[in-house]
Amino acid sequence: LPFYYSSQQTAPQPPLWSCAGGNSQLWEAPAAKTVKSHFLNALFLPFPWNSCQTGPVIDMPVPASFNDITQDPSLENYIGWVWYEKEVLLPLRWLQGDPAPRVVLRFGSAHYYSIVWVNGVQVVEHEGGHLPFEADISSVLQGSPGALCRITVALNNTLTPHTLPPGSIQYMTDKTRYPKNYFVQNIKFDFFNYAGIHRPVVLYTTPAAYIDDITVTTTSSESIAMVQYQVSVVGSTAYSLSLSLRDQEGKEVATGDGPVGELKVLNPNLWWPYLMHENPGYLYSLEVKMQAQVAGALLEDIYTLPVGIRTVHVTSTQFLINGRPFYFHGVNKHEDADIRGKGLDWPLIVKDFNLLHWLGANSFRTSHYPYAEEIMDLCDAYGIVVIDESPGVGIKLPESFGNKSLQHHLAVMEELIRRDKNRPSVVMWSVANEPASELPPAAHYFKTVIAHTKALDPSRPVTFVTDANYALDHGAPYVDVICVNSYFSWYHDPGHLEVIPLQLTAQFENWYKTYQKPIIQSEYGADSVPGLHSDPPMMFTEEYQTAMLREYHSVFDKKRKEYVIGELIWNFADFMTSQGTTRVLGNKKGIFTRQRQPKAAAFVLRDRYWKIANESSCLPPVVTSHSLFLK
Ligand code: BDP
C-alpha cells in the first residue's frame, strides 16, 4: 500500500548528531507531537491522484527503497531521518468484543532504525534493517475514537560502528573544501545502502490469548520420522493445545496435544533439495489449535506451519542432507533491482526463482543479510537450500568487535533464528561476511556469536564467510564448515588467469590441512560489462568472466572428490553499489544483468550445474521444460 513519505527534517538534523562523539542523538526518539503537526497536511493528500508533490511531502510506495523513486539526487544519497505516514480505516469488529481481539501492526523490515507511532502514540522502536518487528496496538486503538488508525514511522538509515552492518559518519571540517556541516557515510561493504520500508506492512488480529511461537525440529530413519514440537501461548494459563499433521493430499498423518511433544510419521516423505529428488521441497502442514478461557469467553487461535522433514549433518569431508552427500552448486544473491532498490517485488522474486531453476542451482547464500520471508517461503516450497546470513557484513573496525556491537549481534541472531528456525530450506547459519577476523578480538567475538547461535539452534551448523589468511583467522576454529571467498586473477594478480590453478589449490589444501573441515567456495567471480568482448580475454569482458570461471571449475572438480562441498558464484545478478572508481553503475560480477538477462557466464554455469546434478541417479530422466518447476 502506498504510504505518504517525507524526507523533511523535523527529527534531529544529521549535522547535529555526533556519531563519533558521546552525545549522539541518533537513537533518540523525536517527540510524537512533532510528527502530528508535521503531517496534518499530509493526511489529506489523496493517493494515487496526487502522485507528484513538489513540496516536502511526496507519495512513496511501500514496499520500496526511497532512494531511486524520485529525480532528486539528495534523496538518492540521503542520510538521516525520513518520515512515512498512512491512515487506515479498521473494521469495527476488530475493536469490539469482550475480550476484544489483539490488533497487531507488523513490518516485514524497514532500514535501518525505526520508531513507529499509532494515532500519535509511540508503539515500537526497532534497530536493524532486515528482520521483522511488530507492536500490539490494541490499547492505543481502544483509547482512540473511531476506527481510524494513523501509522507514522520515523526511519533513520545512519550506520555507526555498532550497527549491523557497521559504518561511520565522517564530518569534513576543512571549510576551504567542504560546505558547513558537510559529512559522509562511510561503509565497508559493497552494496548500496538502500533505505525505506522494504517489506510489507500488515495489520492482523489474534484473540486475546494466542499462539505466540512454535518450534519444530525433525529426525528420521528410513521408515519413521519424528517431529518434535514446542508451542508457547500468551494471554492465558488455562489453555489446551491440539496438533494435527497433514500430508500434501490433506491426509492426517499424526496428531498430538499439549505444548511439548513428538509426532510420529510412518513412511515419511522427506524434504529433499531441488535436483536431488523427483519431488523436492515436500512440505507437510502442522495445524496447531489453541483453546483458552479468558474472562468467561472461549477463545480459539489456529496457526498452520509448513513442516519439512529433513536432517542435516556435517562430517570432516561432507555435508549430509537426509544422510546423503549434498554439493552446493548455487549462487550468492542480493535483494536489489532498478527503481525499487531493496523493496520486495513479487515479479522479480518469481523471475529469480525461475532463473535459479533454469540455471540448475540448488542453493544460495542470503549475502549479506536476511532476505524477505516471502523469498524464504519459496525456498522451502521449491527445495532451494539456503545458507542464512546475518547482516554482519563489513565488520572491520576494531571498535565493531567491542561488547556493544557483540551484544547487538547476539540480539540479531535471536531475531533471525526466531524467524527462520522452522524452515527446512535453511541448512546453516552464517553469522558474518568477510570480517577482519585476523584481528585478535575476533576470537572472543566469533566464539561468542557462534556459541550463542548454536545454543539457540542446536540443529544446524554455523559458519561465517572469511577472506582472511588461513593461518591468521581467529574465527575459523569455531565454525562447522569453512566458507572462503577468493578473487584470484581479479583483485589479486589482475589479468593473470594462469595463476588460478596453483593459488586455488593451495587455498583449499591450506585450509583443509589446518582444520579438517569441509570447505565451500563461498564467493569467486569477475566483473563483466554485458556486450564487451575480447579474445584473448581481457578483464571486464564476457570472455574473461567465463575464462575465469572455467579455471576455478577445473580445481573444484578435483577437490570436490575430497572435501570441497560447494561453490557459490559471486554474483547471481549485477547490483548497485556506492559510487567509486572501481564500480561502473554498480558491481558487474553478475552472471545475469541487473535486468536479469544472461551474460555468457550464465550459460557456462548452467551447463556445469546440470552436469553436476545429473551425476546423481535420482533426477528425473529429462529436464527440459520450465513446467518442471511449477509445483
Ligand atoms: C567480496 C564481498 C562482496 C563484494 C565482492 C566484490 O564479500 O560483498 O561485492 O567482494 O568485490 O569480497 O565484488
Side-chain angles (χ1 to χ4, degrees):
L1 290 174
F3 266 68
Y4 296 117
Y5 159 96
S6 169
S7 63
Q8 192 178 338
Q9 295 296 296
T10 53
Q13 303 282 317
L16 297 178
W17 314 335
S18 165
C19 294
N23 198 19
S24 170
Q25 294 182 52
L26 179 58
W27 310 132
E28 204 171 279
K33 173 160 107 324
T34 325
V35 179
K36 239 176 155 176
S37 57
H38 177 64
F39 273 98
L40 273 180
N41 291 332
L43 298 181
F44 301 103
L45 285 179
F47 188 91
W49 302 279
N50 199 351
S51 60
C52 180
Q53 291 282 320
T54 47
V57 175
I58 55 175
D59 292 334
M60 183 57 63
V62 169
S65 299
F66 59 69
N67 309 76
D68 293 348
I69 296 292
T70 73
Q71 302 308 104
D72 181 353
S74 66
L75 185 57
E76 185 173 18
N77 297 304
Y78 182 78
I79 307 291
W81 291 102
V82 298
W83 296 89
Y84 286 71
E85 185 158 84
K86 180 165 188 67
E87 287 194 329
V88 188
L89 209 48
L90 300 182
L92 266 180
R93 68 190 145 79
W94 282 23
L95 310 174
Q96 292 161 349
D98 189 18
R102 272 172 80 235
V103 181
V104 183
L105 171 62
R106 185 180 200 270
F107 290 76
S109 77
H111 191 73
Y112 173 82
Y113 190 84
S114 316
I115 307 169
V116 182
W117 295 261
V118 169
N119 295 346
V121 178
Q122 186 178 322
V123 293
V124 64
E125 270 183 69
H126 182 258
E127 178 179 354
H130 309 89
L131 287 164
F133 55 96
E134 62 181 29
D136 178 344
I137 61 169
S138 326
S139 59
V140 176
L141 295 176
Q142 274 149 22
S144 308
L148 198 65
C149 175
R150 178 162 36 87
I151 303 164
T152 310
V153 185
L155 212 61
N156 197 316
N157 60 351
T158 309
L159 300 177
T160 76
H162 306 299
T163 56
L164 217 57
S168 59
I169 295 287
Q170 186 181 4
Y171 287 90
M172 306 303 207
T173 49
D174 181 347
K175 295 198 174 66
T176 63
R177 297 171 64 209
Y178 301 100
K180 200 164 169 256
N181 290 331
Y182 194 83
F183 72 100
V184 289
Q185 167 81 75
N186 293 321
I187 49 176
K188 301 271 186 199
F189 54 84
D190 181 40
F191 54 90
F192 194 83
N193 188 31
Y194 278 115
I197 301 179
H198 282 154
R199 297 181 191 154
V201 182
V202 297
L203 282 159
Y204 71 92
T205 65
T206 73
Y210 59 97
I211 298 165
D212 179 56
D213 195 16
I214 305 171
T215 307
V216 160
T217 51
T218 60
T219 50
S220 77
S221 67
E222 286 265 298
S223 53
I224 299 182
M226 301 306 284
V227 176
Q228 294 88 14
Y229 64 85
Q230 201 171 339
V231 182
S232 69
V233 168
V234 173
S236 168
T237 44
Y239 62 85
S240 66
L241 282 165
S242 59
L243 294 90
S244 160
L245 188 71
R246 292 180 188 277
D247 66 15
Q248 279 184 354
E249 276 71 54
K251 194 171 132 243
E252 189 170 76
V253 295
T255 58
D257 52 39
V260 182
E262 212 170 30
L263 307 174
K264 189 195 276 186
V265 185
L266 296 178
N267 302 317
N269 287 302
L270 299 184
W271 186 95
W272 286 101
Y274 172 56
L275 299 178
M276 211 169 166
H277 193 268
E278 64 274 9
N279 188 12
Y282 191 98
L283 294 173
Y284 290 85
S285 358
L286 179 64
E287 188 185 273
V288 182
K289 190 196 258 186
M290 177 225 69
Q291 291 193 315
Q293 287 286 343
V294 176
L298 178 68
L299 303 181
E300 191 173 85
D301 191 18
I302 299 178
Y303 192 89
T304 305
L305 179 75
V307 171
I309 299 175
R310 61 110 186 85
T311 59
V312 170
H313 292 106
V314 176
T315 73
S316 62
T317 55
Q318 287 180 322
F319 197 96
L320 303 173
I321 297 185
N322 298 331
R324 287 192 32 208
F326 177 76
Y327 186 77
F328 295 78
H329 44 92
V331 304
N332 290 277
K333 291 186 90 263
H334 262 302
E335 290 182 319
D336 174 89
D338 288 332
I339 304 171
R340 72 253 321 125
K342 289 196 179 305
L344 181 127
D345 177 33
W346 270 116
L348 181 79
I349 290 173
V350 176
K351 176 74 176 175
D352 280 4
F353 275 96
N354 284 333
L355 290 176
L356 289 173
H357 283 137
W358 175 89
L359 196 62
N362 63 3
S363 51
F364 66 77
R365 170 167 68 120
T366 66
S367 45
H368 294 306
Y369 37 79
Y371 291 176
E373 290 153 280
E374 291 79 354
I375 296 175
M376 304 301 282
D377 287 346
L378 291 182
C379 290
D380 287 337
Y382 290 147
I384 298 290
V385 168
V386 178
I387 300 173
D388 205 353
E389 189 158 277
S390 89
V393 56
I395 308 179
K396 304 280 191 192
L397 300 167
E399 53 200 305
S400 299
F401 288 95
N403 202 35
K404 186 171 176 188
S405 296
L406 177 59
Q407 292 311 318
H408 178 55
H409 204 146
L410 301 182
V412 170
M413 292 315 299
E414 282 166 30
E415 285 182 38
L416 175 59
I417 290 170
R418 181 175 161 99
R419 193 193 76 161
D420 287 350
K421 63 187 167 186
N422 294 322
R423 299 187 175 281
S425 59
V426 174
V427 298
M428 180 155 65
W429 307 109
S430 163
V431 300
N433 179 70
E434 296 188 355
S437 47
E438 66 288 349
L439 296 179
H444 171 70
Y445 190 94
F446 284 104
K447 185 178 179 193
T448 311
V449 175
I450 291 172
H452 189 65
T453 305
K454 282 176 174 287
L456 292 165
D457 176 14
S459 76
R460 289 180 179 86
V462 184
T463 191
F464 75 90
V465 170
T466 185
D467 67 340
N469 180 287
Y470 74 97
L472 304 176
D473 195 310
H474 290 288
Y478 308 106
V479 302
D480 296 304
V481 172
I482 302 286
C483 287
V484 53
N485 294 349
S486 59
Y487 286 90
F488 304 127
S489 86
W490 191 261
Y491 292 123
H492 308 281
D493 303 301
H496 292 282
L497 294 164
E498 64 281 4
V499 302
I500 294 174
L502 189 70
Q503 295 188 1
L504 187 57
T505 305
Q507 168 199 287
F508 287 137
E509 289 178 354
N510 286 330
W511 277 104
Y512 195 74
K513 175 179 80 196
T514 313
Y515 287 106
Q516 291 90 50
K517 292 176 186 174
I519 305 175
I520 296 178
Q521 181 76 38
S522 39
E523 283 183 31
Y524 70 107
D527 289 74
S528 75
V529 178
L532 209 58
H533 297 287
S534 79
D535 184 39
M538 291 182 65
M539 290 178 78
F540 293 98
T541 63
E542 295 200 37
E543 286 75 10
Y544 193 90
Q545 190 183 30
T546 55
M548 175 195 256
L549 261 52
R550 287 189 208 281
E551 292 293 343
Y552 264 78
H553 295 163
S554 64
V555 179
F556 295 161
D557 281 340
K558 292 193 188 104
K559 294 297 175 190
R560 72 191 169 95
K561 296 192 186 101
E562 301 176 39
Y563 45 73
V564 168
I565 56 160
E567 52 186 89
L568 305 175
I569 186 78
W570 191 262
N571 188 287
F572 173 74
D574 293 346
F575 58 91
M576 193 46 72
T577 63
S578 306
Q579 297 184 62
T581 47
T582 59
R583 295 289 176 259
V584 187
L585 272 183
N587 187 308
K588 295 272 185 284
K589 293 194 185 67
I591 57 164
F592 297 102
T593 64
R594 202 180 189 208
Q595 292 71 34
R596 275 47 180 181
Q597 296 307 321
K599 301 181 192 173
F603 295 96
V604 170
L605 217 57
R606 183 179 194 234
D607 285 350
R608 175 173 177 76
Y609 284 0
W610 281 105
K611 188 171 141 272
I612 294 174
N614 280 303
E615 287 170 6
S616 145
S617 56
C618 56
L619 276 180
V622 184
V623 183
T624 49
S625 156
H626 75 285
S627 61
L628 171 73
F629 314 128
L630 304 173
K631 295 205 324 176

